[in-house]
Amino acid sequence: MILGPYTILILIVFVASMAIQAYLSSTYKKWGQVRNARSMTGADVARLMLDENGLGHIPVQAVPGNLTDHYDPIRKIVNLSESVYGVPSVGAMAVAAHEVGHAIQDKVRMPALVLRGHMAVPLNLGMNLAPLLLLAGVFLKITGLIWLGAILFGFALLFHVVTLPVEFDASRRALNYLQQRGLSGGDGGNGARSVLTAAALTYVAGFTMALAQFLNILGIARSSDD
């Protein structure tokens, strides 16, 4: 890591991010052991929600890992981790509904989701180049390279900005659907909300980290002009 005026902030955010990740894991572990009101597995909930939203053509499949759940907008597949796919828990129900929320966003062409999709490939390329450009600029004392690296990191920050409303909206759709279908009876509603809130905090932490890194690099770039 290149030291800059915001290095301490980055360290603080990093520690906070680790704490949030631990909170997410403990929250999901708790609600992953509580059976939901309808005893429906994550795959059952996803299939029902997809079918009722005109997305019967989208398959639901299990993928290895824990909390590796995601919607693939390219292949049009809802991927659920092993701890979600075949488990009839409140946590699995919430996560599955959230991923279907992304599928619905894709169906209605939510602008933020579309923009995020277009940003993915150039962002990956830029994030691979940004650290190299920054390091080269610092050690070779070439201000232009430092600023180019800063701009690429700025695009990464923009990606996180766009991601926040996408994730929040998917959780809103999930909670609304679970409530309307009566799937969040008993403590299920509170549990689903707790799981999705904990997950949302990880995206907020990601944005905060990206912001701290960008400010740090911006400070380095400005000092290089002196």
Side-chain angles (χ1 to χ4, degrees):
M1 179 187 299
I2 298 177
L3 299 181
Y6 292 90
T7 300
I8 298 300
L9 176 60
I10 291 175
L11 293 176
I12 293 173
V13 173
F14 176 76
V15 173
S17 297
M18 293 300 98
I20 290 172
Q21 191 61 47
Y23 173 65
L24 172 61
S25 297
S26 65
T27 299
Y28 185 78
K29 182 178 180 180
K30 172 184 177 180
W31 292 105
Q33 297 173 348
V34 177
R35 185 175 289 267
N36 60 59
R38 298 291 184 85
S39 295
M40 295 177 68
T41 66
D44 293 334
V45 172
R47 182 74 274 151
L48 180 63
M49 189 173 174
L50 285 166
D51 292 346
E52 293 188 343
N53 283 276
L55 296 171
H57 60 286
I58 293 182
V60 180
Q61 68 178 24
V63 293
N66 183 42
L67 295 179
T68 50
D69 314 87
H70 64 283
Y71 169 66
D72 185 339
I74 304 300
R75 300 173 60 202
K76 310 296 183 186
I77 297 175
V78 172
N79 297 289
L80 301 179
S81 62
E82 296 167 345
S83 61
V84 170
Y85 186 89
V87 180
S89 70
V90 170
M93 172 184 73
V95 172
H98 174 89
E99 298 309 328
V100 176
H102 287 310
I104 296 173
Q105 291 173 341
D106 190 20
K107 175 187 176 181
V108 301
R109 304 296 292 169
M110 179 183 179
L113 182 71
V114 174
L115 177 59
R116 187 173 72 168
H118 290 321
M119 292 175 65
V121 173
L123 175 67
N124 288 333
L125 177 62
M127 286 308 296
N128 288 329
L129 289 175
L132 298 177
L133 292 171
L134 184 62
L135 285 170
V138 170
F139 289 111
L140 297 176
K141 297 183 179 180
I142 301 177
T143 301
L145 289 180
I146 297 176
W147 275 106
L148 183 56
I151 291 172
L152 291 179
F153 270 104
F155 280 119
L157 176 61
L158 179 60
F159 183 83
H160 283 282
V161 171
V162 173
T163 291
L164 289 177
V166 171
E167 296 300 331
F168 292 162
D169 179 76
S171 290
R172 178 188 62 79
R173 292 174 188 272
L175 291 172
N176 286 344
Y177 178 79
L178 295 177
Q179 183 176 22
Q180 292 168 4
R181 293 292 293 143
L183 297 174
S184 56
D187 289 335
N190 292 332
R193 190 176 300 278
S194 295
V195 169
L196 294 177
T197 297
L201 287 175
T202 65
Y203 290 103
V204 173
F207 163 74
T208 305
M209 175 60 78
L211 176 60
Q213 290 177 327
F214 177 67
L215 291 174
N216 190 55
I217 294 168
L218 197 61
I220 295 172
R222 286 175 174 172
S223 64
S224 70
D225 287 334
D226 297 337

